[in-house]
């Protein structure tokens, strides 16, 4: 099954709060985003945001330039429905992150929780990193969370890559400085435990 079909089916058959990656609040992501110190008018993109509540909390915190990108139209629709009138304050992009063309030097902050780890082919990871490099401003921040070395080998029934903080940072290379990394134990709605690693990097300013 093609990746898009897989994700559409997942979101057609499960409510957003029943998927294994559901968090009522993406608290660690929010804490790391706030720790960057970017202003409320900073360009922030949540890549593979799906139906995550991160965008709700960023709007509530006063961030005004938000983009959510995802492969799944159904997931984006669920997030827009949940936001009600405030959905118009967000840019929604239905696209594959390995092929999308995003504007150059557009974002101050790139966030991805549990998307990069699905890229098991080196050429897809290289395409992803090229897009980060082009679309994140010099001096901008990149927060990427994947399953950790001791995390599960599959997510949503698909094989994933698992990373230590250093391995994850290595995928991005020297143009990105690793500022901080954090582990998180995620409890799925079904009661399983999953280890995540979050890398918080900064793109060199020139
Ligand atoms: C495990 S979910 C994580 C969702 C969200 N980031 C969160 O933490 O709640 C992975 C998401 O990535 C999306 N996705 C998977 N592959 C993608 C790709 N190549 N491009 C864009 N989105 C993708 C899926 O549709 C899904 O919403």
């Amino acid at each position: 099954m093609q990746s898009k079909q897989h994700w559409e089916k997942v979101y057609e058959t499960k409510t957003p709060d029943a998927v294994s990656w559901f968090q009522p609040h993406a608290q660690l992501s929010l804490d790391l985003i706030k720790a960057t110190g970017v202003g409320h008018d900073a360009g922030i993109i949540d890549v593979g945001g799906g139906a995550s509540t991160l965008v709700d909390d960023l709007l509530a915190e006063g961030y005004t330039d938000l983009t959510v990108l995802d492969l799944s139209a159904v997931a984006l629709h669920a997030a827009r429905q949940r936001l009600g009138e405030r959905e118009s304050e967000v840019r929604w992009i239905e696209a594959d992150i390995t092929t999308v063309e995003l504007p150059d030097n557009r974002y101050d902050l790139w966030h991805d929780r549990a998307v990069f780890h699905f890229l098991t082919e080196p050429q897809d990871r290289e395409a992803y990193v090229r897009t980060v490099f082009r679309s994140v401003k010099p001096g901008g921040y990149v927060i990427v969370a994947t399953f950790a070395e001791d995390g599960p080998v599959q997510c949503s029934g698909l094989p994933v890559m698992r990373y230590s903080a250093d391995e994850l940072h290595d995928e991005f290379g020297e143009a990105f400085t690793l500022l901080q990394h954090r582990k998180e134990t995620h409890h799925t709605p079904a009661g399983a435990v999953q280890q995540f690693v979050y890398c918080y990097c900064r793109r060199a300013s020139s």
Side-chain angles (χ1 to χ4, degrees):
M1 191 191 288
Q2 291 299 306
S3 186
K4 182 171 170 66
Q5 283 172 279
H6 170 87
W7 290 106
E8 297 295 24
K9 191 164 171 219
V10 167
Y11 286 109
E12 277 162 8
T13 52
K14 289 188 173 175
T15 56
D17 61 355
V19 293
S20 60
W21 51 92
F22 172 71
Q23 301 173 290
H25 297 280
Q27 196 56 52
L28 181 51
S29 297
L30 276 173
D31 291 347
L32 292 172
I33 291 169
K34 285 197 230 165
T36 65
V38 296
H40 280 164
D41 59 350
I44 298 178
I45 183 165
D46 188 16
V47 171
S52 165
T53 57
L54 178 63
V55 67
D56 309 44
D57 288 330
L58 290 172
L59 279 172
E61 289 282 343
Y63 293 96
T64 57
D65 182 1
L66 302 175
T67 302
V68 178
L69 178 150
D70 202 278
L71 201 49
S72 165
V74 181
L76 295 177
H77 181 71
R80 296 175 82 153
Q81 289 276 106
R82 189 185 60 232
L83 280 170
E85 285 183 359
R86 297 208 78 180
E87 71 93 16
S88 62
E89 296 174 44
V90 178
R91 287 179 189 78
W92 305 92
I93 303 176
E94 182 191 330
D96 183 333
I97 196 56
T98 62
T99 53
V100 70
E101 296 222 352
L102 295 173
D104 288 352
N105 294 330
R106 168 67 179 83
Y107 303 107
D108 298 283
L109 195 149
W110 175 287
H111 175 269
D112 161 353
R113 173 176 178 267
V115 186
F116 187 75
H117 66 195
F118 289 109
L119 305 181
T120 53
E121 297 298 328
Q123 63 270 28
D124 287 339
R125 295 196 292 277
E126 284 158 19
Y128 179 110
V129 171
R130 272 199 304 276
T131 300
V132 177
F133 190 74
R134 274 205 311 270
S135 64
V136 173
K137 294 176 187 172
Y141 296 90
V142 180
I143 297 168
V144 177
T146 66
F147 280 167
E149 302 160 283
D150 51 350
V153 294
Q154 287 198 330
C155 182
S156 187
L158 300 174
V160 294
M161 306 288 291
R162 299 183 295 172
Y163 295 96
S164 67
D166 285 338
E167 287 165 347
L168 184 51
H169 175 239
D170 282 350
E171 295 285 338
F172 288 81
E174 286 177 5
F176 299 88
T177 306
L178 180 61
L179 299 179
Q180 216 188 102
H181 58 89
R182 301 273 288 273
K183 288 282 292 275
E184 182 181 58
T185 303
H186 171 63
H187 295 268
T188 74
V193 168
Q194 301 178 332
Q195 301 300 332
F196 276 79
V197 62
Y198 286 65
C199 276
Y200 160 33
C201 303
R202 187 163 199 189
R203 200 191 139 180
S205 39
S206 58

